Amino acid sequence: DGGITQSPKYLFRKEGQNVTLSCEQNLNHDAMYWYRQDPGQGLRLIYYSQIVNDFQKGDIAEGYSVSREKKESFPLTVTSAQKNPTAFYLCASSMSRPVQPQHFGDGTRLSIL
Amino acid sequence: KNEVEQSPQNLTAQEGEFITINCSYSVGISALHWLQQHPGGGIVSLFMLSSGKKKHGRLIATINIQEKHSSLHITASHPRDSAVYICAVILNSGYALNFGKGTSLLVTP
């Protein structure tokens, strides 16, 4: 079955460490997105990519980096510059124009030790 | 200022009740999504609509473009409907979703 796979489900990071969250899709979608969810707030866009080797910053990109070397993969690195990384991270994908529904992964919960 | 506002924030209903969740937005959009998030965190897309009304099983979604308002209705609610329901819009100028804060629904037996 086609879908989006995020790994790991739970991730713990020490202060000062970079960590990378994986997102893989086999839906042949052009566009991929990373969102962050904090308690009591709506999801917010970190980065998105509409095509391989191209990506754009979202509303809260500071302290994060991404790459899009393959259509299927859109990993997110949480760097030590991100001062408050504890959150729930969701990856999504969709076809590009015309507007299409987004499909979501099951998320990765990141905590600071 | 959040461009997407949902109400109510929390909702408790008894099994069998008719439920309505509302979503208002303040900008031009190309489409609106209704999403369902279960306690484990995973999100499922229920509807995407840009006009009119859509129905799937006991769920109905409507949108009024002129009034910038959408509603999600659940008929004959069931405890398994308990989840967070999220409204999200795609702006005319963008590609990614702008989310409301969600409505937490609890349906009791």
Side-chain angles (χ1 to χ4, degrees):
Chain A
D1 283 339
I4 298 179
T5 301
Q6 287 189 243
S7 61
K9 192 171 179 67
Y10 298 95
L11 188 57
F12 299 92
R13 190 193 95 170
K14 291 183 180 179
E15 297 262 4
Q17 279 185 337
N18 294 351
V19 288
T20 297
L21 283 60
S22 170
C23 178
E24 304 276 334
Q25 54 98 0
N26 60 4
L27 299 165
N28 200 31
H29 285 168
D30 300 308
M32 297 187 75
Y33 314 83
W34 274 106
Y35 297 100
R36 169 180 170 142
Q37 187 176 39
D38 294 283
Q41 295 194 40
L43 282 84
R44 293 178 290 169
L45 179 67
I46 305 173
Y47 270 96
Y48 68 101
S49 167
Q50 294 172 253
I51 195 170
V52 173
N53 292 324
D54 187 50
F55 45 83
Q56 285 77 42
K57 293 182 179 180
D59 301 322
I60 54 167
E62 185 175 350
Y64 299 97
S65 66
V66 293
S67 63
R68 187 87 187 275
E69 296 177 2
K70 299 186 300 181
K71 187 175 184 178
E72 302 79 20
S73 178
F74 192 40
L76 174 74
T77 296
V78 184
T79 75
S80 57
Q82 171 50 240
K83 296 307 177 190
N84 185 21
T86 297
F88 186 60
Y89 293 86
L90 278 156
C91 179
S93 70
S94 71
M95 295 300 291
S96 291
R97 297 292 189 185
V99 173
Q100 294 292 321
Q102 291 191 15
H103 296 249
F104 289 83
D106 289 334
T108 293
R109 196 167 297 278
L110 175 63
S111 300
I112 300 302
L113 293 178
Chain B
K1 177 182 179 298
N2 199 9
E3 292 156 332
V4 183
E5 299 287 344
Q6 285 186 238
S7 64
Q9 188 174 347
N10 296 285
L11 183 56
T12 300
Q14 282 201 313
E15 184 172 359
E17 285 186 6
F18 181 84
I19 290 164
T20 296
I21 299 170
N22 295 300
C23 176
S24 297
Y25 52 93
S26 57
V27 294
I29 69 170
S30 56
L32 181 144
H33 286 249
W34 280 104
L35 308 167
Q36 181 189 55
Q37 185 173 32
H38 280 282
I43 288 180
V44 174
S45 179
L46 299 174
F47 297 103
M48 187 185 78
L49 63 167
S50 53
S51 65
K53 174 179 174 179
K54 287 190 176 181
K55 185 176 188 291
H56 185 258
R58 295 180 295 106
L59 301 177
I60 303 166
T62 64
I63 188 168
N64 185 316
I65 297 296
Q66 287 73 29
E67 295 185 3
K68 293 186 167 61
H69 181 269
S70 176
S71 293
L72 176 68
H73 306 286
I74 305 175
T75 62
S77 59
H78 190 277
R80 65 175 175 268
D81 296 327
S82 299
V84 175
Y85 292 84
I86 301 171
C87 172
V89 301
I90 299 176
L91 305 182
N92 280 334
S93 58
Y95 290 86
L97 292 170
N98 288 257
F99 295 83
K101 292 184 179 181
T103 295
S104 181
L105 171 65
L106 175 64
V107 181
T108 58

